[in-house]
Amino acid sequence: MVLETDVSNSEKAPTTTKEVLTYYTTRHSYQTKSRRLRLAAVKIVTCLCLASWVYRFALPDHSVTLFFRAKYSGALLDDRDDPASEFADDDFPLRAHEPWDISVDFPYPRTLSYEVTEGTWLRLDVHPVSGDIVFDMAGDVYCLPGDAYLGVAGGVGGRTEAVPVLTGVPHDADPRFSPSGDRLAFKSDAGLGADNLWVMPWAADGCTAMDVRAHVSSSYELELKIHDEEQLARGIQETNEKKLRRLTMEGRVNAQRITNETYNWVSDPRWHPSGDKIVATKWYYSRRSLGAGEGWEFPVPAVHAQSQVEAGAGKRLVSKSLPMGWTKADYVEQQVGHEQFIWAGDDALIYAGNVRDIDGSYTYSKDVHQGIYAIFQRNLTTGVEKTLVDAFPGGASRPILSRDARTLAFVRRVRDKEALVLKDLNTGTLHHIWHGLTYDLSTIYAPMGTYPSFAFTPSSSSPGIIIWAAGQIWQVPLARNAEGELVAASRATDDTDLMPKVIPFTAQISKKLAETRRTKTDVRKFESGPQRVRAFTQLALDESGEHAAFSGAGQTWVQALGDSLVDPITLDPIDDANFLGTSKPARRIPHLHPSAGYYSPSFVPASSFILHARWDNTHFSFLELADLESGKVWEVVGLPKGRWFGAVVSDSAGNGVRTAVLVKTGGDVLTGNVVATAQTGVWVGDITLPSHSCSDGTVELTELRYIQSSIDPSDVVKLSFVDGKSSEILVQQSDSVLRVSLRDGTEEVVARGKGTDELVFSPSRSMPSMTSRLAGHNQATGGAAFVSLFHVYYASPSSVDSGKAMWAKPGKAPKNLARLSGDGGHDVVFSSDGSVIGWFLGPYLHTLQLSRLSSCTGTIEADTSNFGIDCVRGLLDVTAVDVAYTPDVQRLSNEAYRPIVDGPQRSIAAESNADVVIIHNATVLSMENGVLTQDLRLGASVVIRSGVVEAVGGPNVGEGLMGAFEIDAEGGYVVPGFIDSHAHWAGTEDKYPATSWEMQAFLAYGVTTLHNPSLHNSLGYVERGRIESGLIAGPRLFHTGAVIYGASDYSIHQDIASMREAREALIRIKAEGGDASWSYKNYNLPTRAARQRLLTAARQVGMLCVPEGGMNYDWDLTYIIDGMTTIEHNIPVSVLYDDILTLYTMSGTGSTPTHIVDYGGMFGEQYLWATEDIPNDPKLRTHTRHDTLEGISESTSRPFNSMALWNVSASVANMVHRGLRAHIGAHGEPPLGLMYHQEMFYAKAGGLSNYEVIRAATADAAITFGLFDSLGSISGGKLADLVIFPPGFDLLQDNIRHTRYIRYVVRGGRIWDAETMEEVWPIKRKQVLPPFNAE
């Protein structure tokens, strides 16, 4: 039964000025090193959550409050007790940033000016003498005179003008007055773009004297300002004179930076009573891009003092706490810290902290009513900490101390309201002052604060609080009761005039905007011609490195190296001009089953044979032995049913019998965990090669036996024999190499990597014997290669030590480490004689004769930052691998022609229309114009020829086309295929070319185009190749590659500290996808300079930017201002007001809000799980793994006021009606396909019409992504991606949830029955899925 909800009737918070709910939620986006790490993390978190639940509810006589207090209490008497005492904090950034100024090194050619009378998330302070209010809004700082609430308001209509005091490109926030009011502290990303603290003098005359517009008071000054800005926009370097003028006009000419962070960042400055130092929150990443806070003290120099601040300078006052069982070595991985520090006297601090995530891992969708944050006080002299306000109920955060230090103010959730609460620190009494606040953000990681900072007024005779709520600045009058406690003035006096009041203001916002990143991709054009395979994997080299074998698009290939050499110095990996007309294409490895998927090729030493594997969706893995000389192929028999990978064969023994070693893996995403999952790991057997004169037949694998080992079969696995001998093998994984004896299974770790994705050793003379190693001789006699931070490196024998993990951090890398890759690389291997190293970047196979490397020794030793790449690059051989497949539109035509050409009724007319489809009697919603009245056609026909829409018109269109395939829509709606703008899935990194139930599920629910903003650089395009070549069915697949990640993950972190790094980061993505690669994703990169460098490089290579929102409100605004194409996920403040609504809408940046994993409260996915019988849905059970469905069988009931998504939906709808383009993205949440339609329901809930929702799902996404010339509407000349609904469903008026009920889905003219996913044209067939379900 479907529960229908009328959001408009839900209860509202009383102080909201808009007809929307004030609810919230959050989600950490898709990011990880590999699937095995994701699964491990899920298991750990699940176990810890269960343990926490048992403690909370199942164990008797325990107080959760006492438990939390015990966790945070105790004295830190010296460094030995400090959890952070062993934390060096010297790994990141990897390299110092090259000089960059965000204001002048990136162009802002547009100016957006507008007036507002309301604002979003205004952090404010009140001057201790004058009562003037300073607040930040849209990245600028404004001043509102104290007369706005202390006297008679000026201006029009009783509104007081807020004057700008800090403007310009830098994003400024968190303003805070010094105790005497003579200086202002604030957070700013001025300069490099890292959030640092600044202080500047504050004039005694207050707002009027600080108004920056005074510096542009004449027409001459205005002309100078405009001229200077135009020159900067054109890239003309700023002179010192112009810089001084710009800083003066921005109000920051006398500002001093007092912190120097280039990776971590700081927020929430709070002055010490002495006025000579500040405490603030310093945020640290773990492997996840969620900052965890510490309390740091920073000295404040005298006004106008000239001093250099050292990087990372400051004093740690409050460390993160370590969960039970953690050691100090684990400190960096603590994802939860403390924040919102304020001084309580000379040597004490008050601060807030998340006390629900007690295991070191941040979790989402927490229960705000149980309370998440508590407030603590610590004496810095004794180290003693105590709880001031417990988390239960409703939490407690954003502590503010009254000016006499007696009263603590904070915010907390109370039922469906947000309360301003006062606690008298003398009596301990709590007073709820006002329930009119906007909901706090304690449910998410909130570096902008769980609530905007507020302040007490300076007057002791007329006390009050100035605070932001519901888009306005409010005055909350207070009074003292008989006990001397501050309480609500209206209650103490029974005077209703003393109720909280809005302080009306008006402000003029003027923002410099970059051009929004746009590009166009002609999908039809590049999908119509021969499709070049660009992404390859599973590379193998022969003995001397003269030939290579590899897989791509689900097939295996062999390439003679040197046939298509490209100059490594001038190589541009995204320029297909490198594929010369004289190049020799790679050869398909001989095989037995043309339509099957093949993978994992390896050369058989001292022979012309190659061993590779064939995949069958029912019976799993088979081995085939192919003779490259004769083309003969033998089936290898004797292999039990299972998933087999990585088979290698040894050199010939005296009796002709060779040893074969291979790996059996367990269940995975695409094939499930039901069949053949036992005894995973290394297996060994015997094989005898056939003579070349033997006819095709079989070769037997005998004496197959299991070798017990500690390898992880789900990880990267590369096998090679040690020195070609059959007694020992190297098992090479992502971050370790094992030497395993095939006689008795003895194993040892011979190399380790730190955050490496691949680690390989020379198989020839690679290391001393086990005996010598046991004697303590660890140094290898052969070199190692590894992939670290997306590049390929080589460590010489003298630098390899099994006791030390290798990585590529400058200053911490192995001695004389050499970087081999120019723009990046993957699938690194040695030739079996150890003389050659090879790797791929896109279709370019790079090889290096190690003997050449000595010529760059001097450069390698001297270049401690880039490890000699500028010299090494010239030593490489680069082969352009030329592999192509027939595009689907051509295959479709061939398949459509074949029955007619071979049939008895063959005719010229029938042949000419064999690849034509006519859909008639349809209600066509073309989405061509973006206007309902122009897009809707009743009784229409659609003609498709060769997968392309030929005509859309009335009932007579298509008449007389003999031989065409016809569909009677019976009045049903026909719309463009849906575009999932933010999709994720998990099967890409599976080792086998299995048919993907994930892709089938997406198609079954009408999704014909996928855009994944986080996928493996190369393997994502390997999967795309399997779809486009016809090996499996699926939507069009586009993706960003791996996220360009700011957090402290040793595998995927990228600094982007230079333009060189920025270009390399984009090139290594686009090289794998070519024209199909048109987007990238920066994911919480902490410096704006890095983000601007990427945008600059993106303009050069033609890519869009779809950044991760990441719950950082301030960074989101800079994404918009700097011209990023979209914001992925919602802005974490769910109710937006005119300052941000206008900025977002007018900027040109699009929105993909993903309500399914909405920031600020309960996930939208949970509502679907709770209200529908997902596990028993027949269609889902046909196309989806049952264990996934059963995993979401049970969902906890939660109130609607725990869901921020309704407010997010309303904010997005408001912007859509102003002109914003919104998109539908379901985040890959289970169940795939169906969740997309739930996301459409959430988009509708905020006020969009059904038509606007469909436009977001089709045309708007295509326009934003630059695909509208080929996709997104039903128009002549566009690819025929369509969804055909059954008759009787009124798409424009009926329940939007019913869009899930689809009759046919059409992708490039190919038609499937959406219920069964049986292909109905041009061939009746149904692809076979692996047996991933037990029933």
Side-chain angles (χ1 to χ4, degrees):
M1 180 177 181
V2 178
L3 174 64
E4 293 300 321
T5 305
D6 183 359
V7 178
S8 63
N9 291 330
S10 299
E11 188 173 0
K12 301 176 178 64
T15 61
T16 301
T17 59
K18 297 174 179 286
E19 289 301 309
V20 292
L21 300 168
T22 48
Y23 312 147
Y24 289 32
T25 211
T26 179
R27 177 61 179 258
H28 170 61
S29 276
Y30 196 82
Q31 56 132 62
T32 50
K33 172 184 176 183
S34 66
R35 190 181 65 258
R36 68 187 181 99
L37 292 180
R38 289 198 298 270
L39 296 175
V42 169
K43 292 176 182 176
I44 291 171
V45 170
T46 302
C47 293
L48 289 171
C49 289
L50 178 60
S52 177
W53 183 91
V54 170
Y55 188 95
R56 171 70 178 87
F57 296 106
L59 298 181
D61 301 322
H62 283 285
S63 165
V64 173
T65 300
L66 290 176
F67 175 76
F68 290 143
R69 183 179 295 124
K71 171 184 179 289
Y72 281 89
S73 297
L76 299 179
L77 300 180
D78 55 41
D79 282 347
R80 291 172 299 174
D81 297 316
D82 184 356
S85 62
E86 298 177 8
F87 175 45
D89 190 25
D90 60 354
D91 282 347
F92 300 98
L94 299 173
R95 295 171 179 82
H97 280 264
E98 293 183 355
W100 189 276
D101 188 326
I102 62 171
S103 296
V104 301
D105 290 322
F106 188 73
Y108 293 90
R110 300 186 290 162
T111 301
L112 175 64
S113 298
Y114 54 102
E115 186 177 5
V116 297
T117 57
E118 59 180 16
T120 306
W121 209 253
L122 307 186
R123 288 154 287 191
L124 61 83
D125 195 16
V126 176
H127 193 276
V129 178
S130 67
D132 289 351
I133 302 169
V134 288
F135 62 91
D136 67 72
M137 181 166 62
D140 294 332
V141 175
Y142 294 81
C143 183
L144 192 61
D147 287 346
Y149 65 98
L150 296 174
V152 178
V156 180
R159 294 188 178 275
T160 302
E161 183 183 26
V163 302
V165 299
L166 277 170
T167 61
V169 170
H171 188 89
D172 305 314
D174 293 341
R176 206 71 185 177
F177 286 114
S178 63
S180 62
D182 64 337
R183 283 186 286 183
L184 185 75
F186 58 97
K187 179 187 76 171
S188 178
D189 64 1
L192 185 65
D195 288 342
N196 277 291
L197 300 185
W198 296 67
V199 296
M200 70 179 190
W202 188 263
D205 291 338
C207 297
T208 302
M210 298 301 295
D211 188 346
V212 298
R213 294 173 300 181
H215 304 297
V216 196
S217 58
S218 69
S219 59
Y220 173 70
E221 289 170 328
L222 179 60
E223 288 175 4
L224 278 179
K225 179 176 184 291
I226 294 172
H227 177 262
D228 291 351
E229 290 175 347
E230 288 177 346
Q231 287 197 311
L232 281 177
R234 293 199 300 268
I236 299 174
Q237 188 173 3
E238 184 179 60
T239 64
N240 289 334
E241 178 187 1
K242 292 178 180 179
K243 179 177 181 180
L244 179 62
R245 188 158 58 229
R246 173 176 58 81
L247 294 176
T248 300
M249 292 177 178
E250 291 176 356
R252 65 186 77 244
V253 68
N254 293 316
Q256 300 166 278
R257 182 162 51 84
I258 65 169
T259 65
N260 187 5
E261 300 297 332
T262 62
Y263 179 64
N264 305 311
W265 68 101
V266 284
S267 69
D268 278 312
R270 295 296 183 269
W271 292 86
H272 187 268
S274 66
D276 61 8
K277 56 186 176 182
I278 278 174
V279 69
T281 304
K282 185 172 178 178
W283 299 90
Y284 287 85
Y285 278 145
S286 63
R287 286 184 180 273
R288 292 174 70 184
S289 61
L290 300 158
E294 295 180 344
W296 278 65
E297 176 185 288
F298 303 100
V300 179
V303 176
H304 303 307
Q306 298 296 321
S307 60
Q308 285 291 112
V309 182
E310 293 185 10
K315 179 182 178 182
R316 179 184 284 112
L317 299 181
V318 180
S319 305
K320 298 180 288 185
S321 302
L322 288 177
M324 195 167 13
W326 284 37
T327 68
K328 292 183 179 182
D330 304 318
Y331 184 80
V332 68
E333 289 305 320
Q334 166 61 287
Q335 297 169 7
V336 179
H338 315 285
E339 56 200 80
Q340 302 166 23
F341 294 87
I342 61 174
W343 291 99
D346 288 338
D347 67 342
L349 291 173
I350 293 173
Y351 50 90
N354 168 358
V355 297
R356 293 303 177 192
D357 292 320
I358 61 174
D359 62 355
S361 296
Y362 181 88
T363 60
Y364 296 90
S365 201
K366 291 186 284 286
D367 185 346
V368 67
H369 303 284
Q370 287 287 330
I372 299 166
Y373 277 67
I375 297 175
F376 307 95
Q377 182 170 345
R378 174 176 291 187
N379 186 297
L380 297 178
T381 302
T382 65
V384 173
E385 186 179 69
K386 65 179 180 180
T387 302
L388 289 182
V389 186
D390 291 331
F392 182 81
S397 66
R398 183 48 79 189
I400 301 291
L401 203 57
S402 64
R403 298 185 187 272
D404 63 4
R406 174 174 174 174
T407 306
L408 179 71
F410 61 94
V411 303
R412 82 178 339 158
R413 186 71 171 268
V414 179
R415 306 180 310 280
D416 61 344
K417 308 295 190 296
E418 183 77 18
L420 173 63
V421 184
L422 300 184
K423 180 174 183 176
D424 189 288
L425 297 181
N426 288 351
T427 66
T429 302
L430 291 173
H431 295 281
H432 285 210
I433 302 301
W434 185 42
H435 287 133
L437 301 185
T438 297
Y439 283 176
D440 68 62
L441 293 182
S442 61
T443 51
I444 66 171
Y445 146 70
M448 61 284 182
T450 53
Y451 201 84
S453 51
F454 55 95
F456 284 83
T457 57
S459 172
S460 58
S461 59
S462 301
I465 285 176
I466 306 298
I467 192 169
W468 173 89
Q472 299 294 334
I473 297 173
W474 294 74
Q475 179 189 17
V476 182
L478 303 175
R480 295 197 180 272
N481 63 12
E483 288 76 27
E485 301 163 340
L486 284 176
V487 297
S490 59
R491 297 177 189 172
T493 62
D494 289 327
D495 186 349
T496 57
D497 288 339
L498 296 179
M499 293 289 289
K501 293 183 175 60
V502 169
I503 304 174
F505 74 91
T506 181
Q508 185 72 26
I509 295 177
S510 183
K511 302 298 295 184
K512 299 299 296 182
L513 300 181
E515 291 291 350
T516 304
R517 183 81 283 274
R518 300 279 187 231
T519 192
K520 285 190 175 184
T521 301
D522 191 338
V523 179
R524 179 187 171 185
K525 179 179 179 181
F526 76 74
E527 286 192 359
S528 297
Q531 295 288 286
R532 174 166 288 120
V533 178
R534 301 188 63 92
F536 297 96
T537 188
Q538 301 166 2
L539 175 63
L541 297 179
D542 64 6
E543 290 123 300
S544 57
E546 296 178 353
H547 294 82
F550 41 84
S551 67
Q555 308 295 344
T556 51
W557 311 83
V558 63
Q559 175 84 49
L561 301 185
D563 280 348
S564 184
L565 285 181
V566 179
D567 185 347
I569 301 298
T570 60
L571 170 66
D572 181 353
I574 63 174
D575 183 1
D576 279 2
N578 295 304
F579 288 87
L580 308 176
T582 57
S583 65
K584 186 176 180 180
R587 294 166 49 203
R588 179 86 184 270
I589 294 176
H591 49 277
L592 296 175
H593 296 268
S595 61
Y598 284 80
Y599 64 99
S600 193
S602 67
F603 290 95
V604 178
S607 78
S608 59
F609 290 105
I610 276 187
L611 187 67
H612 62 156
R614 182 181 79 246
W615 180 258
D616 181 281
N617 285 310
T618 301
H619 302 289
F620 293 2
S621 297
F622 294 87
L623 292 179
E624 292 181 10
L625 190 66
D627 184 356
L628 295 178
E629 290 184 354
S630 67
K632 295 178 180 179
V633 186
W634 292 262
E635 180 107 5
V636 178
V637 298
L639 190 67
K641 184 174 185 176
R643 305 165 188 82
W644 297 93
F645 185 83
V648 293
V649 176
S650 70
D651 280 341
S652 178
N655 59 0
V657 177
R658 300 187 184 222
T659 300
V661 181
L662 64 167
V663 172
K664 184 184 181 189
T665 68
D668 56 26
V669 174
L670 297 184
T671 66
N673 298 290
V674 176
V675 176
T677 60
Q679 290 190 299
T680 60
V682 176
W683 288 69
V684 60
D686 296 335
I687 190 170
T688 301
L689 301 184
S691 67
H692 293 288
S693 61
C694 289
S695 60
D696 297 349
T698 61
V699 173
E700 188 173 6
L701 184 63
T702 61
E703 302 297 327
L704 189 64
R705 55 199 183 277
Y706 178 62
I707 303 295
Q708 189 73 40
S709 71
S710 62
I711 78 161
D712 179 0
S714 67
D715 188 19
V716 173
V717 182
K718 299 177 184 179
L719 304 176
S720 61
F721 286 93
V722 178
D723 292 330
K725 298 176 182 177
S726 60
S727 58
E728 292 180 346
I729 60 164
L730 296 177
V731 182
Q732 299 154 119
Q733 304 222 255
S734 61
D735 55 8
S736 66
V737 177
L738 284 177
R739 180 174 182 168
V740 179
S741 169
L742 299 180
R743 293 192 178 97
D744 58 11
T746 303
E747 64 177 48
E748 62 172 334
V749 177
V750 298
R752 302 178 190 276
K754 182 176 181 177
T756 51
D757 287 318
E758 304 172 42
L759 176 57
V760 296
F761 260 66
S762 169
S764 178
R765 302 178 302 281
S766 57
M767 63 200 68
S769 66
M770 285 189 177
T771 302
S772 62
R773 294 181 68 83
L774 292 174
H777 304 296
N778 290 330
Q779 184 174 303
T781 58
F786 58 88
V787 176
S788 175
L789 304 167
F790 300 97
H791 278 294
V792 179
Y793 296 88
Y794 174 72
S796 62
S798 61
S799 302
V800 179
D801 187 328
S802 64
K804 297 179 180 179
M806 296 181 290
W807 71 312
K809 158 75 174 177
K812 295 189 175 185
K815 183 179 180 181
N816 297 333
L817 183 71
R819 179 174 140 189
L820 307 185
S821 59
D823 296 298
H826 56 87
D827 286 86
V828 61
V829 294
F830 280 95
S831 61
S832 58
D833 66 3
S835 65
V836 177
I837 295 177
W839 67 92
F840 266 114
L841 177 64
Y844 301 101
L845 177 53
H846 297 65
T847 52
L848 172 66
Q849 294 280 348
L850 285 177
S851 60
R852 301 175 183 172
L853 199 56
S854 59
S855 64
C856 288
T857 299
T859 304
I860 292 169
E861 291 176 352
D863 184 3
T864 57
S865 179
N866 291 305
F867 307 103
I869 180 57
D870 291 331
C871 178
V872 174
R873 187 194 303 264
L875 307 178
L876 305 179
D877 291 321
V878 181
T879 302
V881 176
D882 195 354
V883 171
Y885 55 81
T886 303
D888 190 53
V889 291
Q890 186 175 333
R891 290 196 312 275
L892 179 144
S893 295
N894 293 340
E895 291 167 356
Y897 278 114
R898 192 173 303 122
I900 294 177
V901 172
D902 297 339
Q905 304 298 322
R906 179 177 180 180
S907 68
I908 294 177
E911 281 188 45
S912 63
N913 299 314
D915 60 351
V916 173
V917 173
I918 303 172
I919 305 168
H920 56 83
N921 193 19
T923 303
V924 174
L925 197 60
S926 71
M927 313 311 297
E928 185 173 13
N929 305 289
V931 179
L932 173 59
T933 54
Q934 299 176 32
D935 288 340
L936 182 64
R937 296 191 178 193
L938 304 178
S941 297
V942 179
V943 178
I944 302 167
R945 185 183 297 272
S946 296
V948 175
V949 176
E950 185 173 78
V952 182
N956 297 327
V957 170
E959 283 188 355
L961 295 178
M962 183 181 300
F965 181 79
E966 298 188 39
I967 294 176
D968 183 358
E970 302 178 75
Y973 275 83
V974 179
V975 301
F978 298 135
I979 300 172
D980 192 333
S981 298
H982 190 126
H984 296 298
W985 56 91
T988 299
E989 295 184 41
D990 282 5
K991 293 177 168 59
Y992 309 99
T995 297
S996 172
W997 62 265
E998 296 174 314
M999 297 298 109
Q1000 179 165 305
F1002 281 123
L1003 264 184
Y1005 283 92
V1007 175
T1008 57
T1009 298
L1010 295 169
H1011 181 245
N1012 189 328
S1014 179
L1015 201 60
H1016 192 282
N1017 279 6
S1018 58
L1019 295 181
Y1021 288 109
V1022 170
E1023 185 171 29
R1024 185 180 191 278
R1026 296 208 302 270
I1027 295 171
E1028 295 300 323
S1029 64
L1031 189 62
I1032 63 175
R1036 301 178 197 283
L1037 192 162
F1038 303 106
H1039 68 89
T1040 63
V1043 295
I1044 301 175
Y1045 194 50
S1048 305
D1049 188 305
Y1050 294 98
S1051 174
I1052 60 175
H1053 170 89
Q1054 298 185 65
D1055 287 323
I1056 315 299
S1058 66
M1059 276 304 303
R1060 175 176 181 163
E1061 287 185 34
R1063 182 172 171 82
E1064 288 173 358
L1066 301 189
I1067 288 295
R1068 59 176 159 261
I1069 298 169
K1070 197 168 182 64
E1072 306 289 343
D1075 290 336
S1077 174
W1078 39 259
S1079 65
Y1080 75 93
K1081 180 179 186 178
N1082 59 252
Y1083 196 123
N1084 280 358
L1085 284 174
T1087 65
R1088 194 169 172 187
R1091 306 192 294 262
Q1092 289 182 351
R1093 289 185 184 111
L1094 286 168
L1095 285 165
T1096 302
R1099 288 184 170 90
Q1100 297 168 1
V1101 301
M1103 297 182 77
L1104 307 176
C1105 178
V1106 291
E1108 175 74 14
M1111 293 173 281
N1112 194 315
Y1113 170 72
D1114 294 312
W1115 292 1
D1116 279 347
L1117 298 189
T1118 68
Y1119 298 165
I1120 294 169
I1121 289 167
D1122 287 353
M1124 296 188 186
T1125 310
T1126 68
I1127 302 292
E1128 300 302 298
H1129 304 301
N1130 62 291
I1131 289 181
V1133 180
S1134 64
V1135 180
L1136 303 178
Y1137 295 91
D1138 280 345
D1139 58 334
I1140 306 305
L1141 292 171
T1142 300
L1143 173 65
Y1144 204 164
T1145 301
M1146 299 302 292
S1147 70
T1149 296
S1151 172
T1152 311
T1154 62
H1155 304 86
I1156 294 298
V1157 289
D1158 180 77
Y1159 293 152
M1162 170 182 159
F1163 290 167
E1165 62 188 9
Q1166 296 173 357
Y1167 178 67
L1168 174 69
W1169 300 343
T1171 56
E1172 296 195 25
D1173 186 6
I1174 298 298
N1176 291 311
D1177 184 295
K1179 182 172 180 177
L1180 289 174
R1181 291 184 69 82
T1182 299
H1183 306 299
T1184 305
R1185 284 178 53 157
H1186 295 172
D1187 54 356
T1188 299
L1189 301 178
E1190 288 156 14
I1192 53 178
S1193 296
E1194 190 169 308
S1195 181
T1196 303
S1197 173
R1198 302 180 73 170
F1200 265 49
N1201 61 37
S1202 290
M1203 302 176 72
L1205 63 88
W1206 310 119
N1207 282 341
V1208 171
S1209 180
S1211 292
V1212 172
N1214 186 330
M1215 291 189 288
V1216 168
H1217 295 148
R1218 295 172 179 226
L1220 175 103
R1221 295 196 190 280
H1223 323 113
I1224 307 298
H1227 203 258
E1229 299 305 306
L1232 296 182
L1234 177 59
M1235 196 60 79
Y1236 185 85
H1237 296 267
Q1238 187 71 8
E1239 179 68 14
M1240 287 202 285
F1241 162 68
Y1242 292 139
K1244 158 84 173 178
L1248 295 183
S1249 66
N1250 285 16
Y1251 171 80
E1252 289 169 324
V1253 173
I1254 300 301
R1255 190 179 66 199
T1258 56
D1260 280 353
I1263 292 170
T1264 296
F1265 291 152
L1267 309 178
F1268 195 60
D1269 289 345
S1270 303
L1271 302 170
S1273 71
I1274 306 176
S1275 309
K1278 292 193 178 185
L1279 292 167
D1281 289 6
L1282 311 174
V1283 173
I1284 303 175
F1285 289 101
F1289 170 49
D1290 187 341
L1291 177 60
L1292 297 177
Q1293 300 298 327
D1294 286 352
N1295 189 336
I1296 193 71
R1297 283 183 164 188
H1298 293 170
T1299 54
R1300 69 182 69 178
Y1301 302 119
I1302 297 169
R1303 183 180 178 190
Y1304 296 116
V1305 60
V1306 184
R1307 195 271 206 193
R1310 198 175 294 275
I1311 305 170
W1312 290 269
D1313 181 310
E1315 196 69 21
T1316 65
M1317 281 308 293
E1318 178 180 359
E1319 187 176 336
V1320 298
W1321 189 87
I1323 297 177
K1324 289 188 176 296
R1325 59 186 168 187
K1326 187 174 183 180
Q1327 67 179 2
V1328 177
L1329 295 175
F1332 47 73
N1333 288 326
E1335 57 180 30

